[in-house]
Amino acid sequence: MENKEIILSILNDLKNGRTPSHTDYNLHLDIWAEFIEYLDDVKYIKEVTIYWFGDADEYYDERVHSVDLCKAKLTPFGENFLAEQMN
């Protein structure tokens, strides 16, 4: 799957009340966290928590422990983006 397809699928899952997981896309947890962090950064989704191992001062040592999407929601901006891309 291409990155854009993964992003649209994640947004669509959240819109439809499903909680996607990295295993749905055969992605390593660190890569999955990058997708989720990107979607949160560009304000397509909100209420996301990413848990990290490692020292916050040493970025290269940080590894993702887990990604919590149980409260994740699309923002209005994310809904508009999804609607535009699906047409």
Side-chain angles (χ1 to χ4, degrees):
M1 252 184 168
E2 297 291 325
N3 289 352
K4 184 176 179 181
E5 291 176 278
I6 293 171
I7 288 169
L8 293 175
S9 182
I10 293 167
L11 295 176
N12 198 43
D13 279 350
L14 291 172
K15 179 181 178 184
N16 291 311
R18 292 186 298 269
T19 304
S21 170
H22 69 287
T23 58
D24 298 338
Y25 302 95
N26 295 320
L27 295 173
H28 189 275
L29 190 56
D30 290 326
I31 301 300
W32 176 249
E34 287 181 24
F35 273 104
I36 300 305
E37 189 171 43
Y38 167 77
L39 293 172
D40 186 50
D41 287 347
V42 296
K43 307 298 184 209
Y44 289 163
I45 61 176
K46 62 182 180 179
E47 298 188 37
V48 171
T49 305
I50 298 174
Y51 298 98
W52 302 88
F53 289 120
D55 184 348
D57 293 333
E58 297 181 34
Y59 178 77
Y60 62 88
D61 279 341
E62 291 183 349
R63 303 286 296 176
V64 176
H65 174 270
S66 63
V67 177
D68 184 0
L69 297 177
C70 69
K71 295 180 184 178
K73 297 176 188 153
L74 258 66
T75 64
F77 186 62
E79 289 204 26
N80 289 338
F81 173 78
L82 182 60
E84 288 173 4
Q85 297 300 312
M86 299 306 274
N87 289 330

Coordinates of all heavy atoms in Angstrom, one line a residue:
M1 N 0.8 -1.2 0.0 CA 0.0 0.0 0.0 C 0.9 1.2 0.0 O 1.9 1.3 0.7 CB -0.9 0.0 1.3 CG -2.3 -0.3 1.1 SD -3.2 -0.1 2.7 CE -4.8 -0.1 2.0
E2 N 0.5 2.2 -0.7 CA 1.2 3.5 -0.7 C 0.8 4.3 0.5 O -0.2 4.1 1.1 CB 0.7 4.3 -2.0 CG 1.1 3.7 -3.3 CD 2.6 3.7 -3.5 OE1 3.3 4.7 -3.1 OE2 3.1 2.7 -4.1
N3 N 1.7 5.2 0.9 CA 1.5 6.1 2.1 C 0.1 6.7 2.1 O -0.6 6.8 3.1 CB 2.6 7.1 2.3 CG 3.9 6.5 2.6 OD1 4.0 5.3 2.9 ND2 4.9 7.3 2.6
K4 N -0.3 7.3 0.9 CA -1.6 8.0 0.9 C -2.7 7.1 1.1 O -3.7 7.4 1.8 CB -1.7 8.7 -0.5 CG -3.0 9.5 -0.6 CD -3.0 10.3 -1.9 CE -4.3 11.1 -2.0 NZ -4.4 11.8 -3.3
E5 N -2.6 5.9 0.6 CA -3.7 4.9 0.8 C -3.8 4.5 2.2 O -4.9 4.3 2.8 CB -3.4 3.6 0.0 CG -3.5 3.8 -1.5 CD -3.2 2.5 -2.2 OE1 -1.9 2.3 -2.4 OE2 -4.1 1.7 -2.6
I6 N -2.7 4.3 2.9 CA -2.7 4.0 4.3 C -3.3 5.1 5.1 O -4.1 4.9 6.0 CB -1.2 3.7 4.8 CG1 -0.7 2.4 4.2 CG2 -1.2 3.6 6.4 CD1 0.8 2.2 4.4
I7 N -2.9 6.4 4.8 CA -3.5 7.5 5.5 C -5.0 7.6 5.3 O -5.7 7.8 6.3 CB -2.8 8.8 5.1 CG1 -1.4 8.9 5.6 CG2 -3.6 10.1 5.5 CD1 -0.5 10.0 5.0
L8 N -5.5 7.4 4.1 CA -6.9 7.5 3.9 C -7.6 6.3 4.6 O -8.7 6.5 5.1 CB -7.2 7.5 2.4 CG -6.7 8.7 1.6 CD1 -6.9 8.5 0.1 CD2 -7.4 9.9 2.1
S9 N -7.0 5.2 4.6 CA -7.6 4.0 5.3 C -7.7 4.2 6.8 O -8.7 3.9 7.4 CB -6.8 2.8 5.0 OG -7.4 1.6 5.5
I10 N -6.7 4.8 7.4 CA -6.7 5.1 8.8 C -7.8 6.1 9.1 O -8.6 5.9 10.0 CB -5.3 5.7 9.3 CG1 -4.2 4.6 9.2 CG2 -5.4 6.2 10.7 CD1 -2.8 5.2 9.3
L11 N -7.9 7.2 8.3 CA -8.9 8.2 8.5 C -10.3 7.6 8.3 O -11.2 7.9 9.1 CB -8.7 9.4 7.6 CG -7.4 10.2 7.8 CD1 -7.3 11.2 6.7 CD2 -7.4 10.8 9.2
N12 N -10.5 6.7 7.3 CA -11.8 6.1 7.1 C -12.2 5.2 8.2 O -13.3 5.2 8.6 CB -11.7 5.4 5.8 CG -13.1 5.1 5.2 OD1 -14.0 5.9 5.3 ND2 -13.3 3.9 4.7
D13 N -11.2 4.4 8.7 CA -11.5 3.5 9.9 C -12.0 4.4 11.1 O -13.0 4.0 11.7 CB -10.2 2.7 10.3 CG -10.0 1.5 9.4 OD1 -10.9 1.2 8.6 OD2 -8.9 0.9 9.6
L14 N -11.2 5.4 11.4 CA -11.6 6.2 12.5 C -13.0 6.9 12.3 O -13.8 6.9 13.3 CB -10.6 7.3 12.8 CG -9.2 6.8 13.3 CD1 -8.2 7.9 13.4 CD2 -9.4 6.1 14.7
K15 N -13.3 7.3 11.1 CA -14.6 7.9 10.8 C -15.7 6.9 11.1 O -16.8 7.3 11.5 CB -14.6 8.4 9.4 CG -15.9 9.0 9.0 CD -15.9 9.5 7.6 CE -17.3 10.0 7.3 NZ -17.5 10.4 5.9
N16 N -15.4 5.7 10.7 CA -16.4 4.6 10.9 C -16.4 3.9 12.2 O -17.0 2.9 12.3 CB -16.3 3.6 9.7 CG -16.7 4.2 8.4 OD1 -17.7 4.9 8.3 ND2 -15.8 4.1 7.4
G17 N -15.7 4.5 13.2 CA -15.7 3.9 14.5 C -14.8 2.7 14.8 O -15.0 2.1 15.8
R18 N -14.0 2.4 13.8 CA -13.0 1.3 14.0 C -11.7 1.9 14.5 O -11.3 3.0 14.1 CB -12.8 0.6 12.7 CG -14.1 -0.2 12.3 CD -13.8 -1.0 11.0 NE -13.5 -0.3 9.9 CZ -14.3 0.2 9.0 NH1 -15.6 0.0 9.1 NH2 -13.9 0.9 7.9
T19 N -11.0 1.1 15.2 CA -9.6 1.5 15.7 C -8.6 0.7 14.9 O -8.4 -0.5 15.2 CB -9.5 1.2 17.2 OG1 -10.6 1.9 17.9 CG2 -8.2 1.7 17.7
P20 N -7.9 1.4 14.0 CA -6.9 0.6 13.2 C -5.7 0.3 14.0 O -5.4 0.9 15.1 CB -6.6 1.6 12.1 CG -6.9 3.0 12.7 CD -8.0 2.8 13.6
S21 N -4.9 -0.6 13.6 CA -3.7 -1.1 14.2 C -2.6 -1.3 13.2 O -2.9 -1.5 12.0 CB -4.0 -2.4 15.0 OG -2.8 -3.0 15.4
H22 N -1.4 -1.2 13.7 CA -0.2 -1.4 12.8 C -0.3 -2.8 12.1 O 0.2 -3.0 11.0 CB 1.1 -1.2 13.5 CG 1.4 -2.2 14.6 ND1 0.8 -2.2 15.8 CD2 2.3 -3.2 14.6 CE1 1.3 -3.2 16.5 NE2 2.2 -3.8 15.8
T23 N -0.8 -3.8 12.8 CA -0.9 -5.1 12.2 C -1.8 -5.2 11.0 O -1.7 -6.0 10.2 CB -1.3 -6.2 13.3 OG1 -2.6 -5.8 13.8 CG2 -0.3 -6.2 14.4
D24 N -2.8 -4.3 11.0 CA -3.7 -4.2 9.8 C -3.0 -3.9 8.5 O -3.4 -4.3 7.4 CB -4.8 -3.1 10.0 CG -5.7 -3.4 11.2 OD1 -5.8 -4.5 11.7 OD2 -6.3 -2.4 11.7
Y25 N -1.8 -3.2 8.7 CA -1.1 -2.8 7.5 C 0.3 -3.4 7.4 O 1.1 -3.1 6.6 CB -0.9 -1.3 7.6 CG -2.2 -0.6 7.6 CD1 -2.8 -0.2 8.8 CD2 -2.9 -0.3 6.4 CE1 -4.0 0.4 8.9 CE2 -4.2 0.3 6.5 CZ -4.7 0.7 7.7 OH -5.9 1.3 7.7
N26 N 0.5 -4.4 8.3 CA 1.8 -5.1 8.3 C 3.0 -4.1 8.5 O 4.0 -4.2 7.8 CB 2.1 -6.0 7.1 CG 1.1 -7.1 7.0 OD1 0.8 -7.7 8.0 ND2 0.6 -7.4 5.8
L27 N 2.8 -3.1 9.3 CA 3.8 -2.1 9.6 C 4.5 -2.4 10.9 O 3.8 -2.8 11.9 CB 3.2 -0.7 9.6 CG 2.6 -0.2 8.3 CD1 1.9 1.1 8.5 CD2 3.7 -0.1 7.2
H28 N 5.8 -2.1 11.0 CA 6.5 -2.1 12.3 C 5.9 -1.0 13.2 O 5.5 0.1 12.6 CB 8.0 -1.8 12.1 CG 8.8 -2.1 13.3 ND1 9.0 -1.1 14.2 CD2 9.4 -3.2 13.7 CE1 9.7 -1.6 15.2 NE2 10.0 -2.8 14.9
L29 N 5.8 -1.2 14.5 CA 5.2 -0.2 15.4 C 5.8 1.2 15.2 O 5.1 2.2 15.3 CB 5.3 -0.7 16.8 CG 4.5 0.0 17.9 CD1 3.1 0.1 17.5 CD2 4.7 -0.6 19.2
D30 N 7.1 1.3 15.0 CA 7.8 2.6 14.9 C 7.3 3.4 13.6 O 7.0 4.6 13.7 CB 9.3 2.5 14.8 CG 9.9 2.1 16.1 OD1 9.4 2.5 17.2 OD2 10.9 1.3 16.1
I31 N 7.1 2.6 12.5 CA 6.6 3.3 11.3 C 5.1 3.7 11.5 O 4.7 4.7 11.1 CB 6.7 2.3 10.1 CG1 8.2 1.9 9.9 CG2 6.1 2.9 8.9 CD1 9.1 3.1 9.6
W32 N 4.4 2.8 12.2 CA 2.9 3.1 12.5 C 2.9 4.4 13.3 O 2.0 5.2 13.0 CB 2.3 1.9 13.2 CG 0.9 2.1 13.7 CD1 0.5 2.3 15.0 CD2 -0.2 2.2 12.9 NE1 -0.8 2.4 15.0 CE2 -1.3 2.4 13.8 CE3 -0.5 2.1 11.5 CZ2 -2.6 2.5 13.3 CZ3 -1.8 2.3 11.1 CH2 -2.8 2.4 11.9
A33 N 3.7 4.5 14.3 CA 3.7 5.7 15.1 C 4.0 7.0 14.3 O 3.4 8.0 14.6 CB 4.7 5.6 16.3
E34 N 4.9 6.8 13.3 CA 5.2 8.0 12.4 C 3.9 8.4 11.7 O 3.7 9.6 11.5 CB 6.3 7.7 11.5 CG 7.7 7.6 12.2 CD 8.8 7.3 11.2 OE1 8.7 7.6 10.0 OE2 9.8 6.8 11.7
F35 N 3.2 7.4 11.1 CA 1.9 7.8 10.4 C 1.0 8.5 11.4 O 0.4 9.5 11.0 CB 1.2 6.5 9.9 CG 1.7 6.1 8.6 CD1 2.6 5.0 8.4 CD2 1.3 6.7 7.4 CE1 3.0 4.6 7.2 CE2 1.7 6.3 6.2 CZ 2.6 5.2 6.0
I36 N 0.8 7.9 12.6 CA -0.2 8.5 13.5 C 0.3 9.9 14.0 O -0.5 10.8 14.1 CB -0.4 7.6 14.7 CG1 -0.9 6.2 14.2 CG2 -1.3 8.2 15.8 CD1 -2.2 6.3 13.4
E37 N 1.6 10.0 14.2 CA 2.1 11.3 14.7 C 1.9 12.4 13.6 O 1.6 13.5 13.8 CB 3.6 11.2 15.0 CG 4.2 12.4 15.6 CD 5.6 12.1 16.2 OE1 6.4 11.4 15.4 OE2 5.9 12.5 17.3
Y38 N 2.1 12.0 12.3 CA 1.9 12.9 11.2 C 0.5 13.3 11.1 O 0.2 14.5 11.0 CB 2.3 12.2 9.9 CG 1.8 13.0 8.7 CD1 2.5 14.1 8.2 CD2 0.7 12.5 8.0 CE1 2.0 14.8 7.1 CE2 0.2 13.3 6.9 CZ 0.9 14.4 6.5 OH 0.4 15.1 5.4
L39 N -0.5 12.4 11.2 CA -1.9 12.7 11.2 C -2.3 13.7 12.3 O -3.1 14.6 12.1 CB -2.7 11.5 11.2 CG -2.6 10.6 10.0 CD1 -3.4 9.3 10.2 CD2 -3.1 11.3 8.7
D40 N -1.7 13.5 13.5 CA -2.0 14.4 14.6 C -1.3 15.7 14.4 O -1.9 16.8 14.6 CB -1.4 13.7 15.9 CG -1.8 14.5 17.1 OD1 -2.9 14.8 17.3 OD2 -0.8 14.8 17.9
D41 N -0.1 15.8 13.9 CA 0.6 17.0 13.6 C -0.1 17.9 12.6 O -0.1 19.1 12.7 CB 2.0 16.8 13.1 CG 3.0 16.3 14.2 OD1 2.6 16.3 15.4 OD2 4.1 15.8 13.9
V42 N -0.7 17.3 11.5 CA -1.4 18.1 10.5 C -2.8 18.3 10.9 O -3.6 18.8 10.1 CB -1.2 17.5 9.1 CG1 0.2 17.5 8.6 CG2 -1.9 16.1 9.0
K43 N -3.2 17.9 12.1 CA -4.5 18.1 12.7 C -5.7 17.4 11.9 O -6.8 17.9 11.9 CB -4.8 19.6 12.7 CG -3.8 20.5 13.4 CD -3.6 20.1 14.8 CE -2.6 21.0 15.5 NZ -1.9 20.4 16.6
Y44 N -5.4 16.2 11.4 CA -6.4 15.4 10.8 C -7.1 14.5 11.9 O -8.3 14.2 11.7 CB -5.9 14.4 9.7 CG -5.4 15.1 8.5 CD1 -4.6 14.4 7.6 CD2 -5.8 16.4 8.1 CE1 -4.2 15.0 6.4 CE2 -5.4 17.0 6.9 CZ -4.6 16.3 6.1 OH -4.2 16.8 4.9
I45 N -6.4 14.2 12.9 CA -6.9 13.5 14.1 C -6.5 14.1 15.4 O -5.6 14.9 15.4 CB -6.5 12.0 14.0 CG1 -5.0 11.8 14.2 CG2 -7.1 11.3 12.8 CD1 -4.5 10.4 14.2
K46 N -7.2 13.8 16.4 CA -6.9 14.3 17.8 C -7.1 13.2 18.8 O -7.7 12.1 18.5 CB -7.8 15.5 18.1 CG -9.3 15.2 18.2 CD -10.0 16.5 18.5 CE -11.5 16.2 18.5 NZ -12.3 17.4 18.8
E47 N -6.7 13.5 20.0 CA -6.8 12.5 21.1 C -6.0 11.2 20.9 O -6.5 10.1 21.1 CB -8.2 12.3 21.5 CG -8.9 13.6 21.9 CD -10.3 13.4 22.5 OE1 -10.5 12.4 23.2 OE2 -11.2 14.2 22.2
V48 N -4.8 11.4 20.4 CA -3.9 10.3 20.2 C -2.8 10.3 21.2 O -2.3 11.4 21.6 CB -3.3 10.4 18.8 CG1 -2.2 9.4 18.5 CG2 -4.3 10.4 17.7
T49 N -2.4 9.1 21.7 CA -1.2 9.0 22.6 C -0.2 8.0 22.1 O -0.6 6.9 21.7 CB -1.7 8.6 24.0 OG1 -2.7 9.5 24.4 CG2 -0.6 8.6 25.0
I50 N 1.0 8.4 22.0 CA 2.1 7.6 21.6 C 3.0 7.4 22.8 O 3.5 8.4 23.3 CB 2.9 8.1 20.4 CG1 1.9 8.2 19.2 CG2 4.0 7.2 20.0 CD1 2.5 8.9 18.0
Y51 N 3.3 6.2 23.2 CA 4.1 5.9 24.4 C 5.5 5.5 23.9 O 5.6 4.7 23.0 CB 3.5 4.8 25.2 CG 2.2 5.2 25.8 CD1 1.0 4.8 25.2 CD2 2.1 6.0 27.0 CE1 -0.2 5.1 25.8 CE2 0.9 6.3 27.5 CZ -0.3 5.9 26.9 OH -1.5 6.2 27.5
W52 N 6.5 6.1 24.4 CA 7.9 5.8 24.0 C 8.7 5.2 25.1 O 8.5 5.5 26.3 CB 8.6 7.2 23.6 CG 7.9 7.9 22.6 CD1 6.9 8.9 22.7 CD2 8.1 7.9 21.2 NE1 6.5 9.4 21.5 CE2 7.2 8.8 20.6 CE3 9.0 7.1 20.4 CZ2 7.2 9.0 19.2 CZ3 8.9 7.3 19.0 CH2 8.1 8.2 18.4
F53 N 9.7 4.4 24.7 CA 10.8 3.9 25.6 C 11.9 5.0 25.4 O 11.9 5.7 24.4 CB 11.3 2.6 25.1 CG 10.5 1.4 25.4 CD1 10.0 0.6 24.3 CD2 10.1 1.0 26.6 CE1 9.2 -0.5 24.5 CE2 9.3 -0.1 26.8 CZ 8.9 -0.8 25.8
G54 N 12.8 5.0 26.3 CA 14.0 5.8 26.1 C 13.9 7.1 26.8 O 12.9 7.5 27.3
D55 N 15.0 7.8 26.8 CA 15.2 9.1 27.4 C 14.8 10.2 26.4 O 15.2 10.2 25.3 CB 16.7 9.3 27.7 CG 17.0 10.5 28.5 OD1 16.1 11.4 28.5 OD2 18.1 10.7 29.0
A56 N 13.9 11.1 26.8 CA 13.4 12.1 26.0 C 14.5 13.0 25.4 O 14.4 13.7 24.4 CB 12.4 13.0 26.7
D57 N 15.7 13.1 26.1 CA 16.8 13.9 25.6 C 17.6 13.2 24.6 O 18.5 13.9 23.9 CB 17.7 14.3 26.8 CG 17.0 15.2 27.8 OD1 16.1 15.9 27.3 OD2 17.3 15.2 29.0
E58 N 17.4 12.0 24.4 CA 18.2 11.2 23.4 C 17.3 10.6 22.3 O 16.9 9.5 22.4 CB 19.1 10.1 24.1 CG 20.1 10.7 25.0 CD 20.9 9.6 25.7 OE1 21.2 8.6 25.0 OE2 21.3 9.8 26.9
Y59 N 16.9 11.4 21.4 CA 15.9 11.0 20.4 C 16.3 9.7 19.7 O 15.4 8.9 19.5 CB 15.8 12.1 19.3 CG 14.8 11.7 18.2 CD1 13.4 11.8 18.5 CD2 15.2 11.3 17.0 CE1 12.5 11.4 17.5 CE2 14.3 10.9 16.0 CZ 13.0 11.0 16.3 OH 12.1 10.6 15.3
Y60 N 17.6 9.5 19.4 CA 18.0 8.3 18.6 C 17.7 7.0 19.4 O 17.7 5.9 18.9 CB 19.4 8.4 18.2 CG 20.4 8.5 19.3 CD1 20.9 7.4 19.9 CD2 20.8 9.7 19.8 CE1 21.8 7.5 21.0 CE2 21.7 9.8 20.8 CZ 22.2 8.7 21.4 OH 23.1 8.8 22.5
D61 N 17.6 7.1 20.7 CA 17.3 5.9 21.6 C 15.9 5.7 21.8 O 15.5 4.6 22.3 CB 18.0 6.1 23.0 CG 19.5 5.8 23.0 OD1 19.9 5.2 22.0 OD2 20.1 6.2 23.9
E62 N 15.0 6.6 21.4 CA 13.6 6.4 21.6 C 13.0 5.4 20.7 O 13.3 5.3 19.5 CB 12.8 7.7 21.4 CG 13.2 8.8 22.5 CD 12.4 10.0 22.3 OE1 11.7 10.2 21.2 OE2 12.4 10.8 23.2
R63 N 12.2 4.5 21.3 CA 11.5 3.5 20.5 C 10.1 3.5 21.0 O 9.8 3.8 22.1 CB 12.1 2.1 20.8 CG 13.5 1.9 20.5 CD 13.9 1.8 19.1 NE 13.2 0.6 18.5 CZ 13.3 0.3 17.3 NH1 13.9 1.0 16.4 NH2 12.7 -0.8 16.9
V64 N 9.2 3.2 20.1 CA 7.7 3.2 20.4 C 7.4 2.0 21.3 O 7.7 0.9 20.9 CB 6.9 3.3 19.1 CG1 5.4 3.2 19.4 CG2 7.2 4.5 18.3
H65 N 6.7 2.3 22.3 CA 6.2 1.2 23.2 C 4.8 0.8 22.7 O 4.5 -0.3 22.6 CB 6.2 1.7 24.6 CG 5.5 0.8 25.6 ND1 4.2 0.8 25.9 CD2 6.0 -0.2 26.3 CE1 3.9 -0.1 26.7 NE2 5.0 -0.8 27.0
S66 N 3.9 1.8 22.5 CA 2.6 1.5 22.0 C 1.9 2.8 21.5 O 2.4 3.9 21.8 CB 1.7 0.9 23.1 OG 1.6 1.8 24.2
V67 N 0.9 2.6 20.7 CA 0.1 3.7 20.1 C -1.3 3.5 20.6 O -1.9 2.5 20.3 CB 0.2 3.8 18.6 CG1 -0.7 4.9 18.0 CG2 1.7 3.9 18.2
D68 N -1.9 4.5 21.3 CA -3.2 4.4 21.8 C -4.2 5.3 21.0 O -4.1 6.5 21.0 CB -3.3 4.9 23.3 CG -4.6 4.7 23.9 OD1 -5.6 4.2 23.3 OD2 -4.7 5.0 25.1
L69 N -5.1 4.6 20.3 CA -6.0 5.3 19.4 C -7.5 5.1 19.9 O -8.4 5.4 19.2 CB -6.0 4.8 18.0 CG -4.7 5.0 17.2 CD1 -4.7 4.4 15.8 CD2 -4.4 6.5 17.1
C70 N -7.6 4.6 21.1 CA -9.0 4.3 21.6 C -9.9 5.5 21.8 O -11.1 5.4 21.7 CB -8.9 3.5 22.9 SG -8.3 4.4 24.4
K71 N -9.3 6.7 21.9 CA -10.0 7.9 22.0 C -9.9 8.8 20.8 O -10.5 9.9 20.7 CB -9.6 8.7 23.2 CG -9.9 8.1 24.6 CD -9.4 9.0 25.7 CE -9.6 8.3 27.0 NZ -9.1 9.1 28.1
A72 N -9.1 8.3 19.8 CA -8.8 9.1 18.6 C -10.1 9.4 17.8 O -11.0 8.6 17.7 CB -7.9 8.3 17.7
K73 N -10.1 10.7 17.3 CA -11.3 11.1 16.5 C -10.7 12.0 15.3 O -9.7 12.6 15.4 CB -12.1 12.0 17.4 CG -12.8 11.4 18.5 CD -13.6 12.4 19.3 CE -14.0 11.7 20.6 NZ -14.2 12.6 21.7
L74 N -11.5 12.0 14.3 CA -11.2 12.8 13.2 C -11.6 14.3 13.6 O -12.6 14.5 14.2 CB -12.0 12.5 11.9 CG -11.3 11.7 10.8 CD1 -10.9 10.3 11.3 CD2 -12.2 11.7 9.6
T75 N -10.8 15.2 13.2 CA -11.1 16.6 13.3 C -12.0 17.0 12.1 O -12.0 16.3 11.1 CB -9.8 17.5 13.4 OG1 -9.2 17.4 12.1 CG2 -8.9 17.1 14.5
P76 N -12.6 18.2 12.2 CA -13.3 18.7 11.0 C -12.4 18.8 9.8 O -12.8 18.5 8.7 CB -13.9 20.0 11.5 CG -14.1 19.9 13.0 CD -12.9 19.0 13.4
F77 N -11.2 19.2 10.1 CA -10.2 19.4 9.0 C -9.9 18.0 8.4 O -9.8 17.8 7.2 CB -8.9 20.0 9.5 CG -7.9 20.3 8.5 CD1 -8.1 21.2 7.5 CD2 -6.6 19.7 8.6 CE1 -7.2 21.5 6.6 CE2 -5.7 20.0 7.7 CZ -5.9 20.9 6.6
G78 N -9.8 17.0 9.2 CA -9.5 15.6 8.8 C -10.7 15.1 8.0 O -10.5 14.4 7.0
E79 N -11.9 15.4 8.4 CA -13.1 14.9 7.7 C -13.2 15.5 6.3 O -13.5 14.9 5.4 CB -14.4 15.2 8.6 CG -14.5 14.3 9.8 CD -15.9 14.1 10.3 OE1 -16.8 14.3 9.5 OE2 -16.0 13.8 11.5
N80 N -12.9 16.8 6.3 CA -12.9 17.5 5.0 C -11.9 16.9 4.0 O -12.1 16.7 2.9 CB -12.7 19.0 5.2 CG -13.8 19.7 5.8 OD1 -15.0 19.2 5.7 ND2 -13.6 20.9 6.4
F81 N -10.7 16.7 4.6 CA -9.6 16.1 3.7 C -10.0 14.7 3.2 O -9.9 14.4 2.0 CB -8.3 16.0 4.6 CG -7.2 15.2 3.9 CD1 -6.5 15.8 2.9 CD2 -7.0 13.9 4.2 CE1 -5.5 15.1 2.2 CE2 -6.0 13.2 3.5 CZ -5.2 13.8 2.5
L82 N -10.6 13.9 4.1 CA -11.0 12.6 3.7 C -12.1 12.7 2.6 O -12.1 12.0 1.6 CB -11.5 11.8 4.9 CG -12.0 10.4 4.6 CD1 -10.9 9.5 4.1 CD2 -12.5 9.7 5.9
A83 N -13.1 13.6 2.8 CA -14.2 13.7 1.8 C -13.6 14.2 0.5 O -14.1 13.6 -0.6 CB -15.2 14.7 2.4
E84 N -12.7 15.1 0.5 CA -12.1 15.6 -0.8 C -11.4 14.5 -1.5 O -11.4 14.4 -2.7 CB -11.1 16.7 -0.5 CG -11.8 18.0 -0.1 CD -10.8 19.1 0.3 OE1 -9.6 18.8 0.2 OE2 -11.3 20.1 0.8
Q85 N -10.6 13.6 -0.8 CA -9.8 12.6 -1.4 C -10.7 11.4 -1.8 O -10.3 10.7 -2.8 CB -8.8 12.1 -0.4 CG -7.8 13.1 0.1 CD -7.0 13.7 -1.1 OE1 -6.5 12.9 -1.9 NE2 -6.9 15.0 -1.2
M86 N -11.8 11.2 -1.3 CA -12.7 10.1 -1.6 C -13.5 10.4 -2.9 O -14.1 9.5 -3.4 CB -13.5 9.6 -0.4 CG -12.7 9.2 0.8 SD -11.6 7.9 0.5 CE -12.6 6.5 0.6
N87 N -13.6 11.6 -3.2 CA -14.4 12.0 -4.4 C -13.6 11.9 -5.7 O -12.5 11.9 -5.8 CB -14.9 13.4 -4.3 CG -16.0 13.5 -3.2 OD1 -16.7 12.5 -3.0 ND2 -16.2 14.6 -2.6

